Amino acid sequence: MRPYTPPAHPFLDVVYSDAQLLVLDKPSGLLTVPGRDPSHKDSLASRAQQDYPDALIVHRLDMDTSGLVVMARGAEIHRQLSGLFQNRRVEKRYVARVWGEPGQDEGEVDLPLICDWPNRPRQKVCFDSGKASLTRWRKLAGDGQTALLELLPVTGRSHQLRVHMQAMGHPILGDPFYAHPEAQGAASRLLLHAQELGFEHPALGHPMHFFCDAGPAFEWPTE
């Protein structure tokens, strides 16, 4: 098991806040919620609750994934925001840098997923008892060796994007669970970032859209 050494700076990156909700930029390497082990107490949720005691987690990102996370302020807003996610009324856009370059410009991966219990938290494709999982993707750039993809998860299964990219034959660079050694060693972290979120504000009723830059590891060289 890898040692848990979450980044300390910035301690909490608040993208947006109001009386009903928070939008935070989670760094790679930080848990969304505390783990069972006492050494895994530090998390995005526990950090946020130091300044916003009423903050409640609505959805999660993998520890290795960076990007936008929404938290509700209070139980009623938590119920409403959770409903938006459950009913697929939240627009989610990720970017990932993957091994190799897909031959097509866009496509989708429709493969059912289930927890690989002997190797948890890993997930696996299972046509017998897996849950339906759908990811749409679009190629943004590529050089034959790696490619930058836009990923649009229609469903929200655990590790969905990571397993689907592996199943395509294009694992995400730096993935400690699903990438082959060469792809894993090609980056110092998992190059998967939750870049955009869009939803209707549950209290104010108007559309909200948030963007969080992925950073230099995702930038493509320009001539």
Side-chain angles (χ1 to χ4, degrees):
M1 181 181 294
R2 291 177 294 160
Y4 182 48
T5 54
H9 303 285
F11 184 76
L12 188 69
D13 191 349
V14 180
V15 176
Y16 173 84
S17 68
D18 64 24
Q20 288 80 34
L21 59 88
L22 304 171
V23 180
L24 308 171
D25 179 9
K26 187 190 82 67
S28 177
L30 178 67
L31 290 166
T32 303
V33 298
R36 293 182 180 178
D37 190 312
S39 66
H40 292 176
K41 182 179 180 180
D42 188 14
S43 70
L44 185 72
S46 58
R47 291 182 182 188
Q49 287 161 359
Q50 292 184 36
D51 293 332
Y52 306 91
D54 58 351
L56 300 170
I57 282 290
V58 177
H59 66 117
R60 305 184 188 188
L61 293 180
D62 299 342
M63 180 182 76
D64 296 316
T65 305
S66 60
L68 295 169
V69 174
V70 180
M71 294 187 71
R73 299 191 63 185
E76 176 57 26
I77 294 297
H78 181 267
R79 183 188 66 79
Q80 294 180 46
L81 282 171
S82 296
L84 293 180
F85 277 87
Q86 291 167 5
N87 294 320
R88 301 179 186 175
R89 293 171 59 192
V90 177
E91 297 178 7
K92 296 178 284 185
R93 178 182 179 271
Y94 292 69
V95 289
R97 195 158 186 168
V98 303
W99 184 260
E101 182 178 349
Q104 298 177 306
D105 290 333
E106 60 184 24
E108 63 180 37
V109 182
D110 186 0
L111 294 172
L113 301 178
I114 193 172
C115 182
D116 185 2
W117 282 104
N119 300 298
R120 57 187 183 273
R122 289 176 172 82
Q123 309 291 308
K124 65 179 181 179
V125 174
C126 179
F127 291 97
D128 294 328
S129 53
K131 294 182 179 180
S133 306
L134 177 62
T135 301
R136 297 193 174 103
W137 62 271
R138 182 170 66 94
K139 183 167 61 176
L140 302 176
D143 60 8
Q145 302 301 313
T146 66
L148 188 66
L149 303 184
E150 172 189 74
L151 304 180
L152 305 175
V154 178
T155 52
R157 310 300 179 199
S158 180
H159 289 193
Q160 175 179 315
L161 301 179
R162 299 164 74 168
V163 179
H164 278 178
M165 292 303 98
Q166 179 201 41
M168 273 180 59
H170 299 287
I172 300 174
L173 301 187
D175 193 331
F177 287 159
Y178 304 103
H180 53 75
E182 198 170 4
Q184 182 178 342
S188 60
R189 53 152 291 197
L190 174 73
L191 293 189
L192 176 63
H193 180 76
Q195 185 163 266
E196 294 185 58
L197 275 178
F199 54 89
E200 183 178 285
H201 194 292
L204 304 179
H206 56 65
M208 309 287 286
H209 180 265
F210 301 97
F211 176 90
C212 177
D213 186 69
F218 295 80
E219 292 176 359
W220 207 259
T222 57
E223 297 183 3

